[in-house]
Amino acid sequence: MRYSLRMPGTDAGAYDRGDGRGPEMTTFYLARHGETTWHADHRYAGNSDVPLTRHGLGQAAALGAWAVDAQLDAIVASPLSRARRSAAPSVETTGLALRIDDRLVEIDFGDGEGLTPTELAERFPEEWAAFCRAPASNPFPGGERGRDGIARALPVFDELVEEFPDGRVLIVAHATLIRLLFCDLAGMDPDGYRDLLPVLGNCNITTIVYPWATESQVTSHPRIRLLGFDVPPGRAAI
């Protein structure tokens, strides 16, 4: 499920509010880190500091190659090494300093760290069932609620918008946190993130403009405009 929604002949940073004031919003490129040693077994990594595989390092290099022409103003990453290592090639190719923000760390899966879905269902059947019903509201034992993760990470976006109005910012973080944030910003219930967005490819790019001044009359107003979802770096719009 990888889509590029960029319109032909347009630039991802060239949209305006339609009120004559010109572009006043920040373009965010959200990238999940590269493949880790737990990826093949589908283990929940969360706050565990799991290293990248050789393939994951190659994915990070592809992200760095994309960054060469992306005209980025900042690169921000989670403090976990898999995110920092994934951001490193982009830092090298752009010459920008790497910013680390602890609020971008992955959701803490508590006692579920390092376990597969099958192992979680066996060890914590009730908690696993509750998580599957409403994963943003029901954490694993000893873990963090997804909704609390949204609350800690959202201010990062607002602060970056204030610092880089009409700028371009690459954020390298984690699959669960990115999907939760996306749902919240798009005006969707975060408890549906696993159904709506089952997978994010490693080092693929989701491009959003935030904050978006919507004119729609829907009950839950989206605060972003989506320009590309889960697009491999070689195909992502710049």
Side-chain angles (χ1 to χ4, degrees), residues 185-210:
L185 289 169
M188 298 179 286
D189 185 349
D191 273 324
Y193 82 88
R194 295 177 76 239
D195 292 321
L196 180 66
L197 310 171
V199 177
L200 281 184
N202 295 105
C203 287
N204 284 359
I205 300 167
T206 293
T207 306
I208 61 173
V209 173
Y210 172 78

Side-chain angles (χ1 to χ4, degrees), residues 147-166:
R147 294 184 185 276
D148 294 334
I150 294 171
R152 68 165 155 81
L154 270 180
V156 177
F157 288 76
D158 292 323
E159 292 166 15
L160 289 168
V161 167
E162 184 175 354
E163 186 174 0
F164 302 104
D166 193 32

Side-chain angles (χ1 to χ4, degrees), residues 45 54 56 64 72 74 76 97 109 126 130 134 142 157-158 161 166 175 179 190 201 216 220 225:
R54 184 184 298 274
L72 298 173
V76 189
F109 294 118
E126 293 183 6
F157 288 76
D158 292 323
V161 167
D166 193 32
R179 290 181 292 163
S216 67
S220 183
R225 168 155 286 192

Side-chain angles (χ1 to χ4, degrees), residues 63-110:
L63 182 62
W66 165 85
V68 171
D69 296 317
Q71 298 179 317
L72 298 173
D73 295 292
I75 300 173
V76 189
S78 155
L80 295 176
S81 64
R82 60 186 183 272
R84 290 188 285 106
R85 290 292 300 276
S86 297
S90 297
V91 169
E92 182 176 351
T93 58
T94 62
L96 295 169
L98 177 60
R99 298 179 175 213
I100 301 297
D101 197 310
D102 291 347
R103 294 170 293 180
L104 294 174
V105 74
E106 178 63 297
I107 301 298
D108 183 353
F109 294 118

